[in-house]
Amino acid sequence: MNKVLIILGELSDRDIDWMIANSSRTKVPPGITLIVEGKPLDALYILLEGTLSVTASVMGQKEIGKIICGEVLGEMSFVDGRLPSASVTTIDECLILSIPRRLLTEKMEQDVLFSLRFYRAVTKFLSSRLRGTVQRFGEETHSLIYQDPKDEFAIAPNVENPDLAESRFQWLLKRLKES
């Protein structure tokens, strides 16, 4: 879950309120491809519950990683405007928070401080993911698991205020379950 904590640790309570008000929650059954390699994305996703499988054509469609609770998806395509380089499919039933790309782009154009916080958060998030990938290449498995399931609740070292970020995530989940 530590990846979403990186983002929530950078955003303000008002930013999170905006995300909740402008997003949708969806329960996605097993076997559904959420992101298709090479196809445009219309949203940024946060995995609230469940597990996803990542595959890429360059790897012969074999699973190259798993995504667990608290991961953010579609951030690379949002930042660089390119098509996704991998497909992402649900392994079990997942609860996904979807923030429409159009609304997120509009918010960033209208609210410069939100934009700064958001891009800082995504930069830290991508940095954390890259460092983890490089570290795993040094291990025997050579797997691109985005986060070791055994470390699901480990806090990334670059979360500046882990207690605040964790409480924001729990607050986000509580508010989403109540609505």
Side-chain angles (χ1 to χ4, degrees):
M1 156 183 7
N2 73 39
K3 297 300 193 299
V4 77
L5 297 183
I6 294 170
I7 291 177
L8 295 177
E10 294 294 325
L11 299 177
S12 70
D13 289 345
R14 284 184 56 195
D15 298 338
I16 295 167
D17 282 337
W18 180 89
M19 286 173 56
I20 292 170
N22 290 280
S23 63
S24 61
R25 262 180 323 169
T26 308
K27 282 206 182 257
V28 182
I32 301 297
T33 301
L34 184 64
I35 296 174
V36 178
E37 181 178 356
K39 301 281 183 184
L41 283 178
D42 61 352
L44 184 76
Y45 303 105
I46 299 174
L47 179 60
L48 301 173
E49 295 175 1
T51 308
L52 303 167
S53 173
V54 181
T55 59
S57 60
V58 71
M59 300 296 287
Q61 297 302 337
K62 78 173 198 173
E63 183 176 88
I64 59 171
K66 286 190 171 47
I67 297 173
I68 60 176
C69 175
E71 284 283 344
V72 178
L73 306 123
E75 76 292 340
M76 288 173 46
S77 293
F78 185 83
V79 169
D80 68 12
R82 296 173 62 188
L83 298 174
S85 57
S87 293
V88 179
T89 305
T90 56
I91 294 175
D92 46 27
E93 183 174 85
C94 294
L95 181 60
I96 307 287
L97 183 70
S98 304
I99 306 166
R101 180 184 185 106
R102 180 186 56 79
L103 294 178
L104 188 54
T105 301
E106 287 173 6
K107 173 70 171 167
M108 293 175 73
E109 289 172 356
Q110 296 166 359
D111 186 342
V112 175
L113 293 177
F114 171 81
S115 184
L116 290 169
R117 288 186 297 271
F118 180 82
Y119 276 122
R120 178 179 165 98
V122 169
T123 300
K124 284 185 167 188
F125 174 83
L126 291 172
S127 173
S128 175
R129 184 177 281 170
L130 180 59
R131 287 179 189 275
T133 300
V134 168
Q135 179 182 352
R136 280 184 286 283
F137 272 123
E139 298 171 357
E140 292 178 23
T141 61
H142 298 293
S143 175
L144 295 179
I145 295 174
Y146 285 88
Q147 182 177 331
D148 186 337
K150 293 178 282 203
D151 293 336
E152 179 177 355
F153 298 103
I155 304 295
N158 56 349
V159 175
E160 289 183 21
N161 191 337
D163 293 334
L164 176 62
E166 172 66 26
S167 68
R168 282 184 173 151
F169 185 66
Q170 295 307 321
W171 176 62
L172 174 79
L173 287 175
K174 181 179 181 219
R175 289 191 55 202
L176 288 170
K177 288 178 183 177
E178 290 172 355
S179 60

